Amino acid sequence: MKCFCFALFLVLFIIKLQRCDGLTTRGQGLKGRVQRDRRNIRPNIILILTDDQDVELGSMQVMNKTRKIMEQGGASFTNAFVSTPMCCPSRSSMLTGKYVHNHNTYTNNENCSSPSWQAQHEPRSFAVYLNNTGYRTAFFGKYLNEYNGSYIPPGWREWVGLIKNSRFYNYTVCRNGYKEKHGSDYAKDYFTDLITNDSINYFRISKRMYPHRPVMMVISHAAPHGPEDSAPQFSEHFPNASQHITPSYNYAPNMDKHWIMQYTGPMRPINMEFTNFLHRKRLQTLLSVDDSVEKVYEMLVETGELDNTYVIYTADHGYHIGQFGLVKGKSMPYDFDIRVPFFVRGPNIEPGSIHPHMILNIDLAPTILDIAGLDTPPDMDGKSILKLLEPEKTENRFRSNRKPKVWRDTILVERGKFLRKKEESSNNNKQQSNNLPKYERVKELCQQAKYQTACEQPGQKWQCIEDTSGKLRIHKCKGSLKVSAKRKRTRSLRSRGYSSKEKECDCGKTDYKPARGERRNQRQLSQTNQRYKPRFVHTRPTRSLSVEFEGQVYDINLEEEAQPAYETRNISKRHYDLEVEEDLEEMLADDNAVGQPSSVKVTHKCYILANDTVHCEREIYQSSRAWRNHKSYIALEIEALQDKIKNLREVRGHLKRRRPDECDCSKSYFNKEKAPRNKERKKSNHRLHPFKEAVQEVDGKVQNFNESRRKKKERKQKKRLKKGDDCSLPGLTCFTHDNDHWQTAPFWNLGSFCACTSANNNTYWCLRTINDTHNILFCEFATGFLEYFDMNNDPYQLTNAVHTVDREVLNELHLQLMELRSCRGHRQCNPRSRGLETGNKDGGSYDPHRGEQLWNGWEG
């Protein structure tokens, strides 16, 4: 029995050894099980973002490490665009997944990180959704241009956000609610290295403390945005860089394009030298970003998280350097400003794959949510690109009848807030009119039903009549309808202006108008009343003031206002005969001293005197601690006042938009029976031509807006004159460059110059279409100007071909553009492909034969 038990034990032991040997030899099967278990953990997400990085000017050619890791190791999108080529609007679209017309951040100043943005749109960023589902979210780098560091945006567990705009040295960041200032030491303060090291440390600590919690990080670099200060080890690279010299370089002036392109002439030699210098500096800053991407990649390899991490690399918009004579900048609707690099690598993404689909910055938020396993909210305008990255099955790859992936072929590019109906008073309107001739407009206008009947519709004012020569003309309706319309207008005027039941204007008593002699007597009486002042003791101004200073009492004469501010007042000693001239400055700086009557109390310890000099308490000048505390107090006061000014501007804008119904109190209402009838008679006889109705429809709100713009221009002009700034021009965005702009080598030493890069009327809405048959850009500007480029024949947008396009095609493009301008949600903002010339419906969201009227030209 014992032998049998021993033999049984020996057999079981041999079988166990064989199993162990099989496990060691079959390591591949074990690895597969570990990978399957690893996939149960949601993937990490890292978004690497650059600022102002172009594609058209060859900035990616110098980033060899990034191209190897992201392009060769992942998927690249050759048609990646941004909806608005400006920093703050584009970044707001990335965070919310919305077009600009839905999150209302139109420029780098207006509504950028404003109270309305913080209340309405910031709580709906992709970080909030991921944070609520267990992701450890972190942000490092530049956030929004107007972010002031006074709060931590919702959704971020770790926050290192740059305050205000991009910088590489001498900046301030908000680190988890505390402001942290940095200087000019490269080892400690260089911004690109700082956020790279912080993000890597945060990822390592998160995986060490919470190994089963996914991480979502945003690393937002300032490069290659200005001031383009590179790391010292890269300051001598690329001495002969010339990738920015494209066929559109210094191609100016462009009289067939919008106003700023017509205004901009060829660059001067100093401008051309500056573009070469600027391009070199930008490439140098990108080398630090290239190293950053490699460090992040090596960290993922070391932590074993590479196969479970999606890494996305892109930019907020493109850039131009000398294109069309513009020295530098962005904000143009052309490809060099709206096209950006876009790379993705991660699980189930085929390395080295290239995708020609059109993707937008508004697709980032839905894509990140999709990676995290969340559905796209209905208010987001973008779509997840994850389904475009899925590899095709082997059995479907070689099938000839396989269905292509349905995706958009048209995007909206917009810059600006609204279209303003301008009065025909500027020369720009003459330059910006490339619409149809008058006879064509009359022909299209007469196709409308309200002009085709012979004055039979109620209230009809105009009708189309064909004359003897066969031309269509618009004539005014006459006859019985004129009387009825006249009576209708009379009733409306009477009910609106003089009905006692409705709310009347409080204009005071305007029934009585005094005679000329009475008005003269009242004027004289008012003038005499102003001179007369009752002789009370308390109303008499103080003539002198007694002040005790260092045990002595002095009388300060307060009436000698005519003396110069720098001269001392006559001070007479009451009880002592000592001289006090040597102590006068100390008395003015003392806390108990009384300043001059014209001095301004700025803080509780400092004054500004009449001669524009500042005097503070003696403690401020003697104690370094008191000096530091008071300086910090002033900085906090400035920040609080800036926030208050921003809130006041927000309220002022709201009040401008919500103006109550105004009434004209300058009118005389003493005769309420006769005067209205005369006005009704004049108004009834005055009927505008349909072409002029749009101009006449300018209401009080637009007039008030124009008046506020005029006052703002006057204030800016006074400010420029006070500063001695001769570079800025009204209506233009200009900059001055000098030898002190860059703080690191290589330095600019060719002197200062001025250049203008954009204009206030550079507001546009564009369609960018790329499919099998079309590659076009169609734009409507706020001035009424139209641009059309066919990139199949003109890849650098050198010639505006709008005059070669059929009017029906322009009508269809206009209607499609108007649909996208008002779209909300991803269902409306992603129309499917359809033919532009045939006009048939290919599963799209628009049918040109649905009975809408043709476009009557640009109407705003």
Side-chain angles (χ1 to χ4, degrees):
M1 186 68 182
K2 291 182 179 180
C3 295
F4 176 79
C5 292
F6 178 78
L8 182 61
F9 176 77
L10 184 63
V11 171
L12 293 175
F13 180 74
I14 294 173
I15 293 174
K16 189 174 182 179
L17 286 178
Q18 290 178 351
R19 287 183 178 179
C20 293
D21 184 68
L23 287 175
T24 55
T25 56
R26 290 194 301 271
Q28 194 68 26
L30 177 62
K31 183 178 178 181
R33 283 197 297 273
V34 171
Q35 290 296 328
R36 283 196 297 272
D37 295 337
R38 188 68 185 84
R39 290 193 190 99
N40 293 330
I41 302 175
R42 287 183 295 173
N44 307 301
I45 306 170
I46 299 179
L47 171 62
I48 303 175
L49 185 65
T50 55
D51 197 358
D52 292 8
Q53 185 175 3
D54 60 88
V55 171
E56 298 290 302
L57 309 186
S59 65
M60 289 300 305
Q61 296 178 10
V62 301
M63 304 181 69
N64 297 323
K65 301 173 183 177
T66 302
R67 294 181 62 186
K68 180 180 179 180
I69 295 171
M70 300 300 302
E71 185 177 2
Q72 299 178 12
S76 58
F77 286 83
T78 57
N79 290 317
F81 298 90
V82 295
S83 58
T84 303
M86 296 188 72
C87 293
C88 196
S90 179
R91 290 170 177 266
S92 302
S93 295
M94 290 179 177
L95 291 168
T96 60
K98 298 178 182 178
Y99 275 117
V100 166
H101 64 265
N102 287 331
H103 63 66
N104 302 322
T105 302
Y106 301 103
T107 65
N108 288 336
N109 299 317
E110 186 173 1
N111 204 31
C112 179
S113 190
S114 66
S116 62
W117 157 264
Q118 297 174 24
Q120 299 178 17
H121 304 289
E122 207 167 33
R124 300 185 64 83
S125 67
F126 62 81
V128 176
Y129 293 103
L130 266 66
N131 181 55
N132 294 338
T133 58
Y135 266 83
R136 292 186 53 80
T137 56
F139 188 95
F140 304 92
K142 176 181 175 179
Y143 185 55
L144 299 175
N145 295 48
E146 292 298 318
Y147 173 69
N148 57 14
S150 61
Y151 70 102
I152 300 176
W156 302 101
R157 294 176 179 265
E158 182 74 10
W159 178 259
V160 183
L162 178 66
I163 296 178
K164 297 297 183 178
N165 210 352
S166 296
R167 282 181 176 271
F168 296 90
Y169 294 106
N170 302 314
Y171 56 87
T172 303
V173 296
C174 175
R175 185 182 293 274
N176 296 323
Y178 297 95
K179 293 184 179 179
E180 182 180 284
K181 292 186 178 181
H182 289 264
S184 56
D185 185 1
Y186 169 74
K188 298 186 300 182
D189 303 317
Y190 193 65
F191 186 71
T192 304
D193 296 345
L194 176 80
I195 62 175
T196 300
N197 297 332
D198 287 348
S199 61
I200 291 176
N201 293 336
Y202 175 78
F203 192 93
R204 291 181 184 274
I205 294 174
S206 296
K207 288 302 176 182
R208 190 180 306 123
M209 297 180 62
Y210 308 97
H212 298 290
R213 294 278 296 278
V215 175
M216 192 278 292
M217 294 194 313
V218 176
I219 308 174
S220 180
H221 293 286
H225 193 284
E228 299 80 2
D229 293 320
S230 62
Q233 64 268 25
F234 302 130
S235 61
E236 297 182 359
H237 284 60
F238 315 118
N240 300 316
S242 59
Q243 297 95 328
H244 63 291
I245 302 179
T246 62
S248 60
Y249 179 81
N250 206 22
Y251 189 85
N254 293 268
M255 304 309 295
D256 59 339
K257 295 183 176 64
H258 60 285
W259 184 81
I260 185 62
M261 310 303 291
Q262 300 174 15
Y263 174 85
T264 304
M267 293 185 292
R268 295 179 296 161
I270 189 173
N271 301 139
M272 299 178 69
E273 182 63 28
F274 171 77
T275 59
N276 300 334
F277 210 86
L278 175 64
H279 184 60
R280 179 187 179 189
K281 297 277 288 185
R282 284 169 52 86
L283 296 182
Q284 291 172 356
T285 61
L286 287 174
L287 291 181
S288 296
V289 179
D290 201 34
D291 289 345
S292 173
V293 175
E294 184 182 41
K295 291 178 182 178
V296 173
Y297 174 79
E298 291 175 351
M299 177 268 298
L300 293 175
V301 174
E302 292 174 4
T303 56
E305 298 288 336
L306 180 64
D307 294 336
N308 194 46
T309 301
Y310 284 89
V311 183
I312 304 174
Y313 182 95
T314 187
D316 55 359
H317 53 76
Y319 206 72
H320 58 259
I321 307 175
Q323 278 63 42
F324 297 129
L326 300 171
V327 177
K328 69 171 185 176
K330 51 246 184 184
S331 77
M332 294 297 167
Y334 310 118
D335 271 17
F336 45 70
D337 281 355
I338 64 174
R339 194 183 284 269
V340 292
F342 199 98
F343 305 102
V344 186
R345 69 167 296 153
N348 299 324
I349 295 180
E350 184 178 356
S353 58
I354 299 176
H355 299 268
H357 304 87
M358 295 189 74
I359 62 173
L360 268 174
N361 54 347
I362 61 175
D363 298 331
L364 265 178
T367 302
I368 292 175
L369 295 181
D370 193 10
I371 293 173
L374 303 176
D375 295 331
T376 302
D379 61 331
M380 286 190 177
D381 303 331
K383 296 175 63 177
S384 171
I385 66 172
L386 205 57
K387 69 175 184 179
L388 301 178
L389 299 171
E390 295 176 354
E392 295 184 5
K393 296 180 180 180
T394 308
E395 59 270 15
N396 297 332
R397 186 174 297 178
F398 302 102
R399 295 176 60 180
S400 59
N401 60 345
R402 69 179 187 273
K403 295 182 180 180
K405 297 178 180 178
V406 178
W407 193 254
R408 70 166 80 93
D409 69 342
T410 300
I411 61 172
L412 171 68
V413 181
E414 55 184 341
R415 181 189 185 270
K417 182 177 180 181
F418 52 82
L419 294 172
R420 293 190 290 268
K421 296 179 180 179
K422 290 190 174 182
E423 297 177 334
E424 301 294 333
S425 58
S426 63
N427 296 329
N428 292 344
N429 292 339
K430 296 180 181 179
Q431 295 178 352
Q432 301 299 312
S433 60
N434 61 346
N435 292 324
L436 293 175
K438 183 177 179 180
Y439 71 91
E440 288 286 346
R441 284 184 287 162
V442 172
K443 183 178 178 181
E444 289 190 358
L445 199 63
C446 289
Q447 294 180 3
Q448 300 183 17
K450 62 180 180 179
Y451 299 122
Q452 293 179 359
T453 58
C455 293
E456 296 176 356
Q457 301 179 12
Q460 183 176 350
K461 303 175 183 178
W462 304 91
Q463 65 171 339
C464 287
I465 299 177
E466 186 175 356
D467 60 8
T468 56
S469 62
K471 291 184 178 180
L472 291 173
R473 301 194 180 274
I474 298 180
H475 289 272
K476 186 183 296 185
C477 291
K478 299 179 180 180
S480 59
L481 288 176
K482 179 178 179 180
V483 180
S484 63
K486 179 178 178 181
R487 290 176 181 173
K488 183 177 180 180
R489 173 168 288 196
T490 303
R491 288 195 299 270
S492 63
L493 284 173
R494 187 173 302 168
S495 61
R496 181 170 65 248
Y498 307 103
S499 175
S500 61
K501 297 180 181 180
E502 296 182 0
K503 183 178 178 181
E504 296 182 356
C505 298
D506 186 11
C507 300
K509 295 181 179 181
T510 57
D511 296 342
Y512 173 70
K513 183 178 181 181
R516 184 179 301 175
E518 278 186 78
R519 292 198 301 271
R520 190 187 310 114
N521 295 335
Q522 291 178 1
R523 191 161 53 249
Q524 293 176 359
L525 181 60
S526 64
Q527 292 176 358
T528 57
N529 289 340
Q530 291 178 359
R531 297 192 191 98
Y532 172 74
K533 292 183 179 180
R535 300 185 62 181
F536 295 109
V537 177
H538 298 292
T539 60
R540 190 179 71 179
T542 305
R543 297 179 180 177
S544 63
L545 188 65
S546 297
V547 177
E548 182 180 355
F549 178 67
E550 294 185 354
Q552 300 178 2
V553 180
Y554 301 94
D555 288 337
I556 301 178
N557 188 3
L558 300 179
E559 287 189 333
E560 299 185 6
E561 299 269 350
Q563 295 183 4
Y566 54 85
E567 294 183 2
T568 59
R569 293 200 185 98
N570 294 331
I571 302 179
S572 60
K573 187 169 61 174
R574 181 181 294 179
H575 300 296
Y576 305 96
D577 295 327
L578 298 177
E579 295 295 326
V580 294
E581 291 181 1
E582 63 216 347
D583 297 331
L584 182 59
E585 287 187 353
E586 296 181 4
M587 186 184 72
L588 288 174
D590 195 89
D591 191 21
N592 298 324
V594 177
Q596 300 181 12
S598 58
S599 64
V600 178
K601 182 178 180 181
V602 181
T603 66
H604 59 285
K605 293 187 178 182
C606 293
Y607 297 81
I608 297 179
L609 303 182
N611 60 346
D612 292 336
T613 59
V614 179
H615 286 277
C616 299
E617 293 181 7
R618 186 184 304 170
E619 179 188 8
I620 302 296
Y621 303 111
Q622 294 179 350
S623 172
S624 60
R625 182 177 181 181
W627 175 86
R628 192 184 308 109
N629 292 340
H630 199 63
K631 188 170 178 290
S632 301
Y633 166 77
I634 292 174
L636 292 175
E637 286 290 313
I638 292 174
E639 183 177 329
L641 290 174
Q642 287 176 346
D643 293 342
K644 187 173 181 181
I645 289 174
K646 199 166 190 178
N647 295 337
L648 289 174
R649 286 176 177 170
E650 189 82 11
V651 175
R652 183 181 63 179
H654 169 74
L655 293 178
K656 286 181 179 180
R657 294 189 294 269
R658 298 294 299 272
R659 179 181 293 274
D661 295 335
E662 296 181 356
C663 53
D664 193 358
C665 294
S666 61
K667 298 179 181 178
S668 178
Y669 296 100
F670 62 93
N671 189 351
K672 295 186 178 181
E673 296 294 332
K674 187 175 181 180
R677 296 176 183 174
N678 295 334
K679 291 183 179 180
E680 291 163 12
R681 189 178 298 113
K682 291 180 181 179
K683 286 185 177 181
S684 61
N685 294 330
H686 181 65
R687 292 182 178 178
L688 293 175
H689 194 276
F691 289 167
K692 299 181 180 179
E693 285 181 355
V695 180
Q696 190 66 17
E697 287 177 359
V698 179
D699 54 0
K701 294 182 180 179
V702 179
Q703 293 177 359
N704 292 331
F705 177 77
N706 292 335
E707 181 66 17
S708 65
R709 288 182 65 216
R710 184 187 64 80
K711 292 181 180 179
K712 187 176 180 180
K713 287 181 180 179
E714 291 179 356
R715 290 194 300 269
K716 286 185 176 181
Q717 183 68 19
K718 291 179 181 179
K719 191 174 181 180
R720 283 194 296 265
L721 293 176
K722 187 177 180 180
K723 290 183 176 181
D725 184 8
D726 56 350
C727 177
S728 300
L729 298 175
L732 292 173
T733 303
C734 307
F735 74 96
T736 302
H737 188 87
D738 53 27
N739 296 346
D740 299 330
H741 179 73
W742 285 309
Q743 304 299 321
T744 59
F747 298 102
W748 174 262
N749 54 11
L750 297 182
S752 62
F753 65 90
C754 172
C756 297
T757 59
S758 187
N760 292 347
N761 61 2
N762 186 28
T763 299
Y764 52 78
W765 295 263
C766 302
L767 290 178
R768 185 69 174 91
T769 300
I770 299 177
N771 54 34
D772 295 338
T773 58
H774 293 81
N775 187 3
I776 66 168
L777 173 68
F778 171 73
C779 293
E780 296 179 5
F781 287 82
T783 56
F785 200 82
L786 304 180
E787 290 186 359
Y788 180 93
F789 301 95
D790 184 0
M791 265 69 86
N792 288 332
N793 301 320
D794 184 15
Y796 296 99
Q797 300 110 60
L798 301 179
T799 304
N800 181 12
V802 68
H803 294 289
T804 64
V805 183
D806 294 339
R807 186 61 183 176
E808 295 181 357
V809 176
L810 291 180
N811 286 332
E812 184 179 344
L813 290 172
H814 168 76
L815 294 176
Q816 187 180 6
L817 180 59
M818 297 302 291
E819 285 185 352
L820 283 179
R821 280 182 55 187
S822 60
C823 72
R824 290 183 181 274
H826 58 273
R827 296 186 182 275
Q828 296 181 9
C829 296
N830 296 280
R832 293 186 180 182
S833 306
R834 58 186 177 84
L836 286 175
E837 297 176 352
T838 57
N840 61 336
K841 226 180 160 184
D842 295 335
S845 61
Y846 162 72
D847 185 3
H849 300 290
R850 60 185 172 186
E852 290 194 9
Q853 298 173 357
L854 289 176
W855 182 32
N856 298 327
W858 184 85
E859 296 179 357

